[in-house]
Amino acid sequence: MALPVHLDTDFGGDPDDACALAMLLGYPEVEIVGITTTLDRIGLRAAYVRHVLSLAVRRRIPVAVGAAVSLTTRAVADPVIDDERHWPEDIVPIPSTSGAALDLLARSVAVGATIIAIGPLTNLANLEIMRPGLLARVPTVAMGGWIRPPADGFPAWGPEMDFNLQWDTRAAQIVLGSANLTLVTLPATLAAHLKAADLPRLRASGSLGVLLANQSAAHAQDHGMTALGRAHHGLPDDLLNFHYDPVACAVAIGWPGAIVENARLTTVLRDGLLHTLPDPEGRQMRIVTDIDGDSFSEFWLSAVEAAQR
């Protein structure tokens, strides 16, 4: 039987969200039972999701617009807009229906779906506030957390780079305190790379592959990813992006190339920055501390190709 999963995403900014969805669409042992968008002020992120689903001819997957702003700051974070290198300019936002995202999440929990969170945790926190205890009933895999520093050869970043947890720290604390959780820590995902050498194969895979290739090339150009790769010996010289979110999805569906450890963690807020710290009295959860990056590249490309057959 296929594994039911629910994807909660801040789709439409960094193209790794689209790369993650494409991988799930191509993995034969997965059934996506729902997709909710977060930080989706006007429903444009949801419209981008529907565009990707249409390219893969998977239009029947339910999509709902979720939270518009951060619970912590009420700040807005819009996706890429009016940049045809990323998205066609004729995509129309999807109107928001109050409560639709929470209802869809609840339906996914009811069928035993694994929840995969690859954006800020605002929707999941709202679900826990409105329906206490629901998140604990199913596994939740979240892209985020900063337990150990990056390995030698990778950028010496700190927890301030962990957008998913830092954008809405109140939501993160609620979810980390209530969910049956696996954290796919950002330092671990730095070993998974999308490279310029992957683009010919990606473009040859179909229209969805062309979209991902174009978005990733534009993202690399705008964010200096090639220079970043050449500045660190652990990264490829032709780096385009990190596969943060695809790795989180792969862990959720049972990809064997991740090292997962049990840990007790507590959250501490210092000067507005959320820290996830080891604590023998803390909450039990699982953390991904390392991955096989080379094996992941082939796993991801093969799944994206399969999504378009």
Side-chain angles (χ1 to χ4, degrees), residues 239-285:
L239 177 71
L240 296 180
N241 204 3
F242 297 102
H243 275 313
Y244 309 109
D245 293 342
V247 169
C249 291
V251 169
I253 62 178
W255 175 64
I259 295 176
V260 185
E261 302 177 8
N262 292 316
R264 289 191 176 273
L265 302 176
T266 191
T267 58
V268 177
L269 199 60
R270 297 174 183 163
D271 299 322
L273 195 66
L274 186 68
H275 298 265
T276 47
L277 304 175
D279 180 353
E281 303 299 320
R283 197 159 188 277
Q284 180 77 37
M285 60 190 74

Side-chain angles (χ1 to χ4, degrees), residues 6 33 125 141 171 188 195 222:
H6 179 110
V33 297
V141 178
K195 307 179 294 294
D222 293 346

Side-chain angles (χ1 to χ4, degrees), residues 74-242:
R74 311 302 294 173
V76 171
D78 285 333
V80 172
I81 300 174
D82 295 333
D83 187 340
E84 59 184 6
R85 299 176 304 163
H86 287 261
W87 302 103
E89 294 183 349
D90 60 352
I91 293 180
V92 178
I94 296 175
S96 176
T97 303
S98 178
L102 299 190
D103 289 342
L104 182 53
L105 274 163
R107 290 200 298 272
S108 295
V109 170
V111 299
T114 296
I115 307 300
I116 310 174
I118 56 172
L121 301 176
T122 314
N123 284 337
L124 274 60
N126 283 333
L127 182 68
E128 182 63 23
I129 291 169
M130 299 300 295
R131 309 180 192 192
L134 206 61
L135 275 181
R137 297 182 187 177
V138 294
T140 297
V141 178
M143 172 60 235
W146 206 276
I147 316 303
R148 301 170 188 170
D152 181 52
F154 296 151
W157 292 339
E160 69 281 353
M161 294 295 291
D162 185 3
F163 176 79
N164 288 356
L165 265 59
Q166 303 304 338
W167 181 258
D168 195 343
T169 56
R170 181 186 176 202
Q173 287 181 302
I174 291 170
V175 174
L176 267 65
S178 58
N180 174 12
L181 192 62
T182 299
L183 285 177
V184 182
T185 63
L186 194 148
T189 65
L190 296 180
H193 315 126
L194 180 61
K195 307 179 294 294
D198 299 326
L199 294 186
R201 181 173 168 186
L202 193 55
R203 288 195 167 102
S205 67
S207 57
L208 177 53
V210 170
L211 177 75
L212 300 179
N214 291 344
Q215 289 183 344
S216 299
H219 175 84
Q221 179 182 4
D222 293 346
H223 293 85
M225 299 303 289
T226 302
L228 181 69
R230 291 173 178 169
H232 297 86
H233 67 81
L235 302 178
D237 288 345
D238 62 342
L239 177 71
L240 296 180
N241 204 3
F242 297 102

Side-chain angles (χ1 to χ4, degrees), residues 293-308:
D294 291 337
S295 139
F296 183 78
S297 293
E298 178 59 32
F299 178 83
W300 178 79
L301 277 167
S302 296
V304 173
E305 289 170 334
Q308 299 166 89

